[in-house]
C-alpha cells in the first residue's frame, strides 16, 4: 500500500505509516453473545462482514433469528430481575468502571478493529471513537449510585429490558452511548449492531466476559433488518433505543405505537454550519472540514449545509478549496489519512445518486484532484456551490463527504434558512460576537448548537434531535431519563 | 492500494498561492514601494495609529481553542523513514545556531561557527546550518569564522532583547552589525508601543531599521521578532505579523528566547497563516522563524508538518523557514545517526557547543 503526499510542490512526502493489524485477532466466524456465552444462530445462518477499504472478507457472523432474539430477551429479563436490578448502584458502578478501564487498556485493539470493519481513518478511531466510548462508561459509572439525586424523584427505577439498535457509522461509540446509561440505571440490554460493522461489538462481548459482568446483563445479537425488527417487536422488551435513519425510525415508532414500550430515536440530520463575516476564519475553515469530512461525512450531526454570509462567501470558498486540497484520502490504516473509505457499496450508491442529482439540478460541483484506490468503496471530498435551498442536496441527508454551500445576508435570514429543514439535530455558528451566538442558539431548532467549533462529543452533554431527527436525549444527566421510571416513593 | 492526495491548490487558491515564492532578493523593495503597498492594503494614506488600528483590528480573529486544536491535530502526523531522513536534513539546513549569553566569548562563537559549517564532521553528506546568530559585538568574529562557507551571520540588534532604547540607539546598534558584515538582522519590536496601540511607531521603527539594513549598499535580511509571549493573545500575534510584513520585514520571528513562553506550535501556525494570506494578497513571500524552546527533532518535525500543511510545501526551505535554536541541532544529529546506523549515540558523541 502506498500513500502519496499532499501539498503541491512539496518535497515533504509522508512515508506510509500503517498501523499494525497484528494487535487484534479476528476469528473466521462469530456466534451470538447470549447469556454470557457465544452461541451459533438457531438456523446456522450467517453473513459476511467486509473491510470497506479493500473489500476483504473479515469474518462470518451469525444471523440471529426470531428464536435467537427471544432467547436473548429472556436471558436479559432473568438477569434484570435476579441480578442486575436488585444490585445496589454502587456495585453496578464497579462493573461500569471496570468496563471503562478495560476499554482504555485495550484501546489499540478496538481502534484497529473499528477501522478495519468500518473504513474510518485510524486517526479517528484511535483519537475519538475509542477514548470517547471509554469516557461514556466512566461518566455513567459515576451516576450509577447517585440516581436518586438525578432529578427523577427519590426512587427512580429501571424499565427492565432495553432493546438497542445501533448504526454502522460509529459502531463502538454508539454501543457505549446505548449500553452505559442502560446499565448504570439497572436495565439489562439486548443490542443489535449494524450488519456491516458487528466486529467491535463482538470484541466488546469478549471484554464483558473479562470484566466478569453477570451473564445476561448484556446480550449482543447480530443480523440485519429482520433481526432488528424481531428485537424491536419482541413483546417482552420494555424500552427501545434506536440510532439510525429517519425512515427506519418512523417505522419503529409506528410499530410500537399502542404498546407499553418507551423509545428514544436518534435519526438523521442536515445541519447548518453558519459562518458570519466576522468569524475566526482559519478556525472556521477547520470547523467546516471537521464538520463534513469527519468520518467521511457519515455522521448524523454532520455540518452538511454551509451557510456563509455573502460578504465573505467567495473568499471562504477559495480558502476551503485550498484546504480540501491538503486532505489525505486513502488507506484508513495509515496514521496520516484524513478521509477513509465509505462504509458499504449501498452507501456509496446513495451518495453517488444524490451528488448526481446535485449536478443535474445545476449546482457547481468541485472535488480536489485526487486519485482514489481501485478496490474498496471510495468517494472524493466534494463541494457544491451555487446551491439553492430547493435542491435535493440541500434538503436530503447525503451521509457522505459532500458539502453544499449556500449564502445568507442577515442573521435572521441565516436562522430562517438553517431551520428550513425537516431535521434538527445540530447546528454550528461561527462569529466573534458572543451576543449573536447566544441569540442564534436560542433561535435554532437543533438539539446541539456548537459555537466556533463542530462535532465535539462529550459524555456530560446531552445529544438528540428536533423534528425528524428524533426524540429523547443521550449523554449527560438527560441521558438517564429514557432509562428511568420516575420514582414516587417518599 | 494506491492512494493519492490532491495536488491542485494553485488552480483554485487565492491569487498568488501555488506559485513558488520569489527569491529573497525580490523582497528587496524600495521604501517607497513598501509604503505604497501599506497604504493600498490598509486603504489609508495617513498610516497613523487610527488607520493602523482600523486595519489591524479588522483582520479576522483567531479562536484560541480552535488554533490550539489544529496544532494538536497536526502534531499527531506520523513521520517515518524516508520522510524523516529528509526532514532531519532540512531541519539542519534551517537552523540558526544561536548563542545569546552575556558570557559569550570569541572562542565560543568560533566553535559554534565550526559546528554550523560541519555539524557532523565524520559525515560529508550532513548539510550545514543556515546561520550563526550572535550578539552585535561578536559579529566580526563570526564573519571571519564563516567567510566563504555559505553559512550566514545573523545579529540580534535594536537593543535586544527588550528593545527598550531610543530609536537612535537601536538604529546605531543595527548599523554596527550591518557595517561589521552581518547578513541578517534580528530586530525586536517595541512591545510596549504595540500593546498600547502606538502601531505607527512600531511600523516606523521597522521601516527605519530596514533602511539601516539596506544602507550603503548593504543587503542585510531583516527578521522582525514579535516576542509573542509578551503579546499574549493570538489576535495580537496576527496583527503584529501583518504590521511587520507591511513594514517590510523579510522574516517574522516568534521570540527572543528570553521570555517564556517562547515559540509554540499554535503561535507559529497563526504566523504561517499570516504569511500565506499576505502572499495571496500581495504576491510577496515572507519567511517565518520560530525561536526558543524547540529542543527535539520530534518537536521540530511537528513544525515542518505545520509549515507543509499551513503555508504550503513552498515554505519548506531555509529561505522561508528557520529555527532559532541552540540545542536542537544536537538532537537532530543524534536522530540522524540513529536513522543511518540503527544505533543511538547519546549526547557524549556530539559537541556541547
Amino acid at each position: 500500500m502506498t500513500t502519496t503526499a499532499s501539498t503541491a510542490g512539496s518535497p515533504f512526502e509522508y512515508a506510509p505509516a500503517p498501523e499494525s493489524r497484528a494487535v487484534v485477532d479476528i476469528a473466521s466466524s462469530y456466534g451470538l453473545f447470549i447469556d454470557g456465552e457465544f452461541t451459533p444462530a438457531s438456523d446456522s445462518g450467517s453473513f459476511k462482514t467486509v473491510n470497506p477499504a479493500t473489500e476483504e472478507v473479515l469474518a462470518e457472523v451469525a444471523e440471529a433469528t426470531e428464536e435467537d432474539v427471544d432467547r436473548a430477551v429472556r436471558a436479559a429479563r432473568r438477569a434484570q430481575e435476579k441480578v442486575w436490578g436488585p444490585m445496589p448502584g454502587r456495585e453496578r458502578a464497579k462493573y461500569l468502571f471496570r468496563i471503562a478501564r478495560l476499554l482504555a487498556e485495550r484501546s489499540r485493539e478496538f481502534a484497529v478493529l473499528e477501522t478495519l470493519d468500518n473504513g474510518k481513518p485510524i486517526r479517528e478511531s484511535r483519537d475519538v471513537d475509542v477514548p470517547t466510548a471509554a469516557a461514556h462508561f466512566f461518566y455513567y459509572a459515576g451516576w450509577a449510585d447517585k440516581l436518586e439525586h438525578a432529578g427523577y424523584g427519590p426512587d427512580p427505577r429501571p424499565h427492565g429490558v432495553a432493546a438497542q439498535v445501533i448504526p454502522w457509522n460509529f459502531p463502538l461509540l454508539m454501543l457505549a452511548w446505548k449500553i452505559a446509561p442502560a446499565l448504570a440505571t439497572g436495565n439489562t440490554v439486548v443490542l443489535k449492531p449494524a450488519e456491516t460493522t458487528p466486529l467491535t461489538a463482538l470484541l466488546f462481548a469478549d471484554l464483558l466476559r473479562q470484566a466478569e459482568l453477570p451473564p445476561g446483563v448484556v446480550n449482543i445479537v447480530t443480523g440485519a433488518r429482520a433481526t432488528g425488527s424481531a428485537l424491536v417487536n419482541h413483546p417482552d422488551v420494555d424500552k427501545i433505543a434506536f440510532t439510525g435513519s429517519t425512515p427506519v425510525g418512523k417505522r419503529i415508532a409506528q410499530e410500537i405505537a399502542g404498546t407499553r414500550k418507551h423509545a428514544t430515536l436518534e435519526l438523521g440530520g442536515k445541519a447548518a454550519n453558519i459562518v458570519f463575516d466576522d468569524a475566526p476564519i482559519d478556525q472556521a475553515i477547520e470547523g467546516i472540514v471537521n464538520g463534513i469530512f469527519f468520518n467521511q461525512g457519515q455522521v448524523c450531526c454532520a455540518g452538511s449545509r454551509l451557510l456563509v454570509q455573502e460578504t465573505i462567501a467567495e473568499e471562504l470558498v477559495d480558502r476551503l478549496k485550498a484546504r480540501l486540497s491538503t486532505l489525505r484520502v486513502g488507506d484508513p490504516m495509515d496514521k496520516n489519512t484524513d478521509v477513509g473509505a465509505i462504509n458499504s457499496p449501498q452507501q456509496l450508491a446513495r451518495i453517488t445518486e444524490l451528488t448526481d442529482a446535485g449536478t443535474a439540478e445545476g449546482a457547481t460541483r468541485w472535488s480536489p484532484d485526487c486519485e482514489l484506490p481501485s478496490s474498496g468503496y471510495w468517494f472524493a471530498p466534494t463541494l457544491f456551490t451555487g446551491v439553492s435551498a430547493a435542491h435535493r442536496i440541500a434538503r436530503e441527508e447525503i451521509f457522505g463527504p459532500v458539502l453544499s454551500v449556500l449564502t445568507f445576508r442577515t442573521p435572521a435570514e441565516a436562522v430562517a434558512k438553517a431551520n428550513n429543514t425537516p431535521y434538527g439535530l445540530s447546528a454550528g455558528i461561527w462569529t466573534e460576537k458572543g451576543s449573536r451566538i447566544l441569540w442564534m442558539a436560542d433561535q435554532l431548532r437543533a438539539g446541539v448548537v456548537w459555537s466556533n467549533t463542530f462535532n465535539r462529543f462529550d459524555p456530560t452533554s446531552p445529544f438528540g434531535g428536533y423534528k425528524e431527527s428524533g426524540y429523547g436525549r443521550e449523554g449527560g444527566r438527560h441521558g438517564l431519563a429514557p432509562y428511568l421510571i420516575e420514582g414516587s416513593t417518599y | 492500494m494506491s492512494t493519492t492526495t490532491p495536488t491542485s491548490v494553485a488552480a483554485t487558491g487565492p491569487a498568488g498561492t501555488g506559485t513558488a515564492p520569489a527569491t529573497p532578493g525580490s523582497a528587496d523593495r524600495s521604501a517607497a514601494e513598501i509604503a505604497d503597498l501599506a497604504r493600498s492594503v490598509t486603504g489609508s494614506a495617513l498610516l497613523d495609529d487610527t488607520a493602523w488600528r482600523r486595519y489591524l483590528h479588522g483582520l479576522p480573529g483567531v479562536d484560541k481553542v480552535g488554533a490550539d486544536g489544529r496544532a494538536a491535530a497536526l502534531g499527531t502526523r506520523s513521520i517515518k523513514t524516508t520522510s524523516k531522513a529528509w526532514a532531519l536534513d532540512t531541519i539542519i539546513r534551517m537552523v540558526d545556531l544561536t548563542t545569546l549569553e552575556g558570557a559569550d566569548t570569541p572562542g565560543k562563537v568560533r566553535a559554534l561557527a565550526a559546528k554550523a559549517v560541519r555539524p557532523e564532521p565524520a559525515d560529508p553528506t550532513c548539510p550545514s546550518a543556515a546561520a550563526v546568530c550572535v550578539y552585535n559585538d561578536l559579529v566580526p568574529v563570526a564573519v571571519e569564522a564563516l567567510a566563504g562557507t555559505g553559512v550566514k551571520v545573523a545579529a540580534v540588534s535594536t537593543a535586544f532583547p527588550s528593545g527598550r532604547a531610543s530609536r537612535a540607539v537601536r538604529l546605531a546598534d543595527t548599523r554596527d552589525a550591518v557595517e561589521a558584515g552581518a547578513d541578517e538582522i534580528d530586530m525586536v519590536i517595541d512591545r510596549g508601543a504595540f500593546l498600547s496601540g502606538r502601531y505607527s511607531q512600531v511600523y516606523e521603527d521597522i521601516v527605519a531599521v530596514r533602511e539601516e539594513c539596506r544602507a550603503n549598499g548593504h543587503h542585510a535580511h531583516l527578521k522582525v521578532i514579535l516576542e509573542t509571549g509578551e503579546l499574549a493573545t493570538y489576535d495580537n500575534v496576527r496583527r503584529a505579523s501583518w504590521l511587520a510584513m507591511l513594514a517590510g520585514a523579510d522574516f517574522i520571528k516568534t521570540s527572543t528566547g528570553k521570555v517564556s513562553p517562547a515559540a509554540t506550535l499554535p503561535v507559529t501556525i497563526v504566523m504561517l497563516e499570516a504569511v500565506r494570506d499576505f502572499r495571496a494578497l500581495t504576491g510577496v513571500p515572507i519567511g517565518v522563524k520560530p525561536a526558543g524552546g524547540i529542543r527535539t527533532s520530534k518537536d521540530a518535525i511537528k513544525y515542518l508538518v505545520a509549515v507543509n500543511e499551513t503555508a504550503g510545501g513552498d515554505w519548506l526551505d531555509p529561505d522561508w523557514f528557520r529555527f532559532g535554536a541552540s540545542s536542537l541541532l544536537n538532537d537532530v544529529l543524534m536522530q540522524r545517526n540513529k536513522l543511518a546506523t540503527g544505533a543511538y549515540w547519546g549526547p557524549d558523541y556530539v559537541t556541547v557547543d
Side-chain angles (χ1 to χ4, degrees):
Chain A
M1 289 190 190
T2 54
T3 304
T4 47
S6 55
T7 316
S10 167
F12 198 13
E13 306 235 328
Y14 301 135
E19 175 64 78
S20 165
R21 61 183 288 176
V23 295
V24 60
D25 291 321
I26 304 176
S28 57
S29 69
Y30 288 90
L32 309 166
F33 186 70
I34 297 174
D35 213 10
E37 300 292 337
F38 280 104
T39 64
S42 59
D43 67 352
S44 317
S46 72
F47 61 97
K48 295 179 172 67
T49 184
V50 303
N51 178 345
T54 61
E55 300 177 53
E56 169 204 5
V57 174
L58 294 169
E60 295 246 347
V61 180
E63 177 139 28
T65 61
E66 212 172 317
E67 189 186 328
D68 298 319
V69 168
D70 180 58
R71 209 150 48 87
V73 173
R74 277 189 286 118
R77 175 65 61 194
R78 265 196 315 276
Q80 208 281 329
E81 286 177 352
K82 299 245 162 25
V83 186
W84 198 248
M87 188 185 282
R90 63 177 181 280
E91 293 299 318
R92 291 199 304 269
K94 288 180 189 171
Y95 285 102
L96 286 164
F97 276 122
R98 197 182 295 166
I99 292 167
R101 283 195 306 270
L102 287 170
L103 255 184
E105 274 171 32
R106 299 174 65 177
S107 57
R108 195 142 161 256
E109 207 179 328
F110 276 95
V112 167
L113 189 61
E114 193 77 317
T115 286
L116 288 173
D117 204 18
N118 170 277
K120 64 174 65 196
I122 186 76
R123 191 168 66 84
E124 290 177 7
S125 53
R126 177 194 68 191
D127 297 347
V128 181
D129 293 62
V130 180
T132 314
H136 267 81
F137 279 101
F138 275 120
Y139 175 75
Y140 280 110
W143 270 119
D145 62 348
K146 302 174 193 70
L147 297 175
E148 66 270 33
H149 307 296
Y152 305 109
D155 181 29
R157 276 158 299 178
H159 285 284
V161 174
Q164 306 185 320
V165 178
I166 59 172
W168 45 261
N169 58 342
F170 292 93
L172 183 72
L173 185 59
M174 290 303 105
L175 172 149
W177 280 26
K178 294 282 180 292
I179 292 182
L183 296 195
T185 47
N187 296 275
T188 55
V189 166
V190 180
L191 176 126
K192 186 194 90 69
E195 66 270 29
T196 60
T197 57
L199 294 185
T200 41
L202 295 165
L203 185 64
F204 183 77
D206 178 62
L207 180 148
L208 293 178
R209 294 211 292 198
Q210 191 186 354
E212 295 174 4
L213 188 75
V217 174
V218 171
N219 305 275
I220 293 169
V221 291
T222 43
R225 182 175 166 167
T227 309
S229 181
L231 179 56
V232 166
N233 291 309
H234 193 287
D236 202 28
V237 157
D238 302 299
K239 148 84 195 163
I240 290 159
F242 172 78
T243 295
S245 73
T246 294
V248 178
K250 283 181 179 175
R251 208 175 61 230
I252 290 173
Q254 284 162 358
E255 283 170 356
I256 65 169
T259 72
R260 65 188 169 79
K261 294 174 188 175
H262 296 248
T264 41
L265 302 174
E266 202 270 89
L267 310 174
K270 190 74 189 173
N273 205 357
I274 305 161
V275 183
F276 285 92
D277 60 6
D278 67 341
I281 195 84
D282 289 301
Q283 289 72 50
I285 293 286
E286 289 309 313
I288 295 163
V289 168
N290 183 42
I292 186 62
F293 300 111
F294 177 63
N295 198 17
Q296 296 72 247
Q298 301 171 132
V299 183
C300 48
C301 53
S304 53
R305 284 185 301 151
L306 178 64
L307 298 182
V308 191
Q309 195 155 11
E310 231 171 61
T311 43
I312 56 159
E314 202 177 323
E315 183 196 346
L316 188 107
V317 168
D318 282 347
R319 284 171 178 264
L320 197 54
K321 286 178 176 173
R323 176 66 180 91
L324 259 49
S325 300
T326 69
L327 281 177
R328 302 172 59 83
V329 185
D331 180 9
M333 288 289 276
D334 191 316
K335 292 170 202 158
N336 290 325
T337 290
D338 298 317
V339 179
I342 301 300
N343 183 251
S344 66
Q346 294 78 16
Q347 186 54 27
L348 183 59
R350 160 113 182 128
I351 299 169
T352 308
E353 187 220 322
L354 277 163
T355 47
D356 287 350
T359 312
E361 285 167 336
T364 308
R365 178 180 186 154
W366 182 90
S367 283
D369 175 20
C370 66
E371 193 184 303
L372 299 173
S374 50
S375 63
Y377 319 125
W378 300 91
F379 199 88
T382 299
L383 187 68
F384 276 104
T385 50
V387 179
S388 139
H391 289 164
R392 278 182 78 194
I393 50 170
R395 306 207 62 77
E396 295 181 32
E397 185 179 39
I398 298 175
F399 225 63
V402 181
L403 181 65
S404 298
V405 184
L406 299 98
T407 58
F408 68 89
R409 282 157 293 191
T410 64
E413 188 186 348
V415 167
K417 282 190 166 166
N419 286 341
N420 182 217
T421 165
Y423 296 109
L425 195 51
S426 68
I429 308 165
W430 297 83
T431 172
E432 289 277 270
K433 207 181 265 293
S435 58
R436 186 188 284 150
I437 290 170
L438 296 175
W439 180 82
M440 293 283 294
D442 206 36
Q443 306 290 314
L444 292 169
R445 304 287 93 191
V448 183
V449 179
W450 285 293
S451 64
N452 292 336
T453 189
F454 210 94
N455 273 346
R456 297 277 168 179
F457 305 102
D458 188 302
T460 67
S461 175
F463 183 95
Y466 280 64
K467 300 187 273 187
E468 291 208 3
S469 292
Y471 44 73
R473 292 292 178 268
E474 296 182 288
R477 184 181 65 83
H478 309 72
L480 294 166
Y483 291 99
L484 289 172
I485 299 165
E486 212 160 296
S488 56
T489 316
Y490 288 92
Chain B
M1 182 194 314
S2 155
T3 46
T4 310
T5 31
T7 51
S8 69
V9 185
T12 51
T17 343
T19 53
T23 53
S26 82
D28 224 4
R29 297 159 292 147
S30 71
E33 286 170 331
I34 285 169
D36 282 347
L37 185 64
R39 287 195 188 93
S40 104
V41 170
T42 59
S44 163
L46 281 177
L47 296 182
D48 59 1
D49 286 343
T50 311
W52 278 116
R53 192 187 135 73
R54 197 177 295 132
Y55 178 72
L56 296 175
H57 289 250
L59 291 167
V62 185
D63 185 77
K64 185 175 187 301
V65 175
D68 290 346
R70 175 67 177 150
L74 286 176
T76 66
R77 286 292 195 216
S78 181
I79 308 298
K80 303 253 177 222
T81 53
T82 50
S83 322
K84 192 170 177 185
W86 182 87
L88 292 175
D89 278 4
T90 303
I91 292 165
I92 295 174
R93 292 168 55 232
M94 289 174 168
V95 164
D96 284 2
L97 206 53
T98 302
T99 182
L100 295 171
E101 289 163 26
D104 285 345
T105 61
K108 182 171 183 193
V109 171
R110 282 190 205 102
L112 208 61
K115 181 163 183 168
V117 176
R118 302 188 65 186
E120 175 39 54
D123 179 1
T125 68
C126 181
S128 300
V132 169
C133 183
V134 294
Y135 271 121
N136 254 9
D137 60 320
L138 290 164
V139 169
V141 179
V143 167
E144 192 192 348
L146 292 168
T149 64
V151 176
K152 306 273 196 252
V153 176
V156 289
S157 303
T158 63
F160 183 93
S162 72
R164 304 216 78 95
S166 71
R167 187 180 288 170
V169 168
R170 284 178 285 151
L171 291 180
D173 200 15
T174 308
R175 195 172 312 133
D176 272 358
V178 174
E179 292 294 336
D183 303 297
E184 303 175 350
I185 296 297
D186 290 26
M187 78 167 279
V188 288
I189 64 164
D190 182 339
R191 284 85 76 187
F194 183 89
L195 289 170
S196 55
R198 301 199 306 276
Y199 300 124
S200 60
Q201 184 185 326
V202 178
Y203 170 79
E204 284 157 17
D205 279 348
I206 298 171
V207 168
V209 173
R210 190 177 187 285
E211 285 296 285
E212 211 55 74
C213 290
R214 266 75 168 174
N216 299 324
H218 291 290
H219 253 287
H221 229 49
L222 178 63
K223 305 195 197 107
V224 177
I225 302 172
L226 309 178
E227 196 62 292
T228 53
E230 290 184 347
L231 297 184
T233 68
Y234 294 172
D235 284 331
N236 276 345
V237 171
R238 172 171 286 206
R239 289 169 190 154
S241 299
W242 278 85
L243 186 59
M245 293 187 296
L246 286 167
D250 298 309
F251 257 77
I252 50 176
K253 175 175 167 183
T254 60
S255 325
T256 60
K258 305 289 184 191
V259 168
S260 183
T264 66
L265 194 53
V267 157
T268 307
I269 289 173
V270 170
M271 290 165 66
L272 286 164
E273 289 164 352
V275 299
R276 176 199 64 197
D277 293 349
F278 189 78
R279 188 178 69 171
L281 186 68
T282 67
V284 179
I286 307 286
V288 177
K289 177 178 171 185
I294 305 163
R295 294 190 179 85
T296 65
S297 308
K298 197 174 167 187
D299 279 350
I301 287 173
K302 288 180 186 177
Y303 281 81
L304 294 191
V305 169
V307 172
N308 190 35
E309 300 203 22
T310 307
D314 295 344
W315 260 268
L316 286 170
D317 184 289
D319 280 347
W320 306 111
F321 197 76
R322 294 276 181 87
F323 290 103
S326 48
S327 57
L328 170 63
L329 183 57
N330 276 353
D331 188 67
V332 176
L333 292 175
M334 289 190 281
Q335 295 298 334
R336 194 176 179 275
N337 190 262
K338 164 125 191 320
L339 211 59
T341 66
Y344 189 70
W345 266 344
D348 286 346
Y349 291 78
V350 290
T351 51
V352 291
D353 62 22

